[in-house]
Amino acid sequence: MAEKLVELKQLSKRYDNKTVLNNVSFSVRQGTIHGFIGPNGAGKSTTLNISVRLVLPNSGEEYIDFKSVKNDPRFNERLGFIPAEPKFPSLSVENYLLDVGYLRDIPKQEVLRKLSGSPLSQFRYQNCHSLSTDPSFRQDLFNNLKNIRDKGGTILMSTHILSDLQKLADDITMIKKGRIVYTGAKTADIEKTYEDYFVEKDRKLFDL
Ligand SMILES: Nc1ncnc2c1ncn2[C@@H]1O[C@H](COP(=O)(O)OP(=O)(O)OP(=O)(O)O)[C@@H](O)[C@H]1O
C-alpha cells in the first residue's frame, strides 16, 4: 500500500453562518488517481481550493509528505492545479502555458519544447474554453492522467461523473453536504455505495 502523500485533516469552512465543509478528512496515496465525487454544492471545489490555499479553512490542516503546508511556503512548487472552469477561457492553450511558464520562471523556449513534444500540441491554438468541452481532448486528458500516475505522479480529481472514476481511479472519496460519506478503495461495488448515498430511490416518477 502506497504512502499517503496528501492528507487533509478535519477541514471546516463557513461562509457567513453557513457551514460548507464539516470536518473533511481524507488522504491521497502517492502514485494513485484519487477521485473526489459528490453532487453540485457538496463542497468539492471548496476542498480543492483549500488544498492549494486559494481559500483558507476556518479550521483543519493539510499535510503534504507529512509536512503541514502552513509551515511550508514552497509547498505548491510540486503541485499543479487545473480548475474546473478555465480561468482565462479566451487565451489559446499555447499562450496560457507561456503565461503560466512566465510566472514560474520557465523560459519560453522550454515551454514551447515541452508543448511540441506533448499530446497537447494538437490543441495548441484552440482557446481554453473550447478545449474544456472537446471530447477528443477529454480522452487524451484521461490517457495523460494515467501516464502521469504510471510514472509515479499523484492525482486528485474532482468530478460529478462516477463512470469516469470507474475507468480511472484507484481510490474514491464521496462528499455530501460538506461531509465525507465514503473514502477508500474503488471496490467492485462502488456503484452501489454511490447510489446508497446519492440516488433517491423512493422518488416516484409518476407521482405528480
Ligand atoms: N465564496 C463563497 N461564498 C459563499 N458561499 C460559497 C462560496 N463558495 C462556495 N460557496 C458555497 O459552498 C457550497 C459548496 O460549494 P462548492 O463550489 O465547493 O461545491 P461543489 O461540490 O464544488 O459544487 P459544483 O460541483 O457545483 O462545482 C455551496 O453551497 C456554495 O454555494
Side-chain angles (χ1 to χ4, degrees):
M1 163 104 25
E3 289 262 16
K4 54 187 169 196
L5 181 68
V6 179
E7 184 171 21
L8 303 175
K9 260 194 174 167
Q10 297 190 307
L11 297 178
S12 291
K13 180 70 186 172
R14 285 185 305 279
Y15 285 110
D16 300 322
N17 288 328
K18 188 177 172 198
T19 298
V20 300
L21 293 185
N22 199 331
N23 276 320
V24 162
S25 297
F26 63 94
S27 49
V28 180
R29 296 181 300 129
Q30 178 141 28
T32 60
I33 298 179
H34 190 115
F36 190 35
I37 191 163
N40 290 113
K44 300 179 297 297
S45 303
T46 306
T47 305
L48 291 192
N49 284 333
I50 289 175
S51 77
V52 290
R53 292 183 83 71
L54 284 174
V55 167
L56 296 179
N58 292 98
S59 57
E61 289 258 13
E62 178 184 13
Y63 298 87
I64 296 184
D65 250 347
F66 303 99
K67 257 208 277 186
S68 166
V69 299
K70 274 204 291 208
N71 307 323
D72 183 4
R74 303 179 70 127
F75 81 96
N76 64 4
E77 288 182 1
R78 292 169 59 201
L79 292 181
F81 179 60
I82 306 175
E85 295 296 328
K87 294 289 180 210
F88 305 101
S90 58
L91 276 185
S92 71
V93 169
E94 182 175 298
N95 284 336
Y96 174 75
L97 291 176
L98 286 170
D99 286 355
V100 172
Y102 177 78
L103 291 174
R104 290 206 164 199
D105 280 336
I106 304 172
K108 182 175 174 183
Q109 289 317 317
E110 173 75 5
V111 174
L112 294 176
R113 190 182 62 73
K114 284 204 166 150
L115 175 60
S116 63
S118 93
L120 206 54
S121 66
Q122 60 177 304
F123 304 104
R124 68 196 307 160
Y125 303 118
Q126 261 178 259
N127 73 35
C128 294
H129 177 70
S130 70
L131 190 65
S132 67
T133 53
D134 183 320
S136 72
F137 174 71
R138 200 175 153 77
Q139 192 49 51
D140 265 24
L141 174 69
F142 287 178
N143 290 338
N144 267 322
L145 294 180
K146 283 193 206 155
N147 284 338
I148 292 170
R149 187 263 317 270
D150 294 345
K151 288 181 186 156
T154 306
I155 292 156
L156 173 58
M157 173 181 168
S158 165
T159 180
H160 302 121
I161 305 171
L162 182 66
S163 58
D164 287 348
L165 297 187
Q166 286 174 306
K167 279 182 235 150
L168 281 175
D170 303 292
D171 296 330
I172 293 187
T173 292
M174 299 182 188
I175 185 167
K176 182 175 185 178
K177 296 183 181 163
R179 291 176 189 268
I180 301 301
V181 292
Y182 175 86
T183 186
K186 183 191 67 182
T187 52
D189 61 351
I190 199 72
E191 193 166 343
K192 177 166 183 330
T193 309
Y194 177 85
E195 284 176 1
D196 286 347
Y197 286 116
F198 299 116
V199 179
E200 289 177 47
K201 294 209 188 64
D202 55 3
R203 198 173 51 187
K204 295 188 183 78
L205 199 55
F206 300 109
D207 193 6
L208 299 175

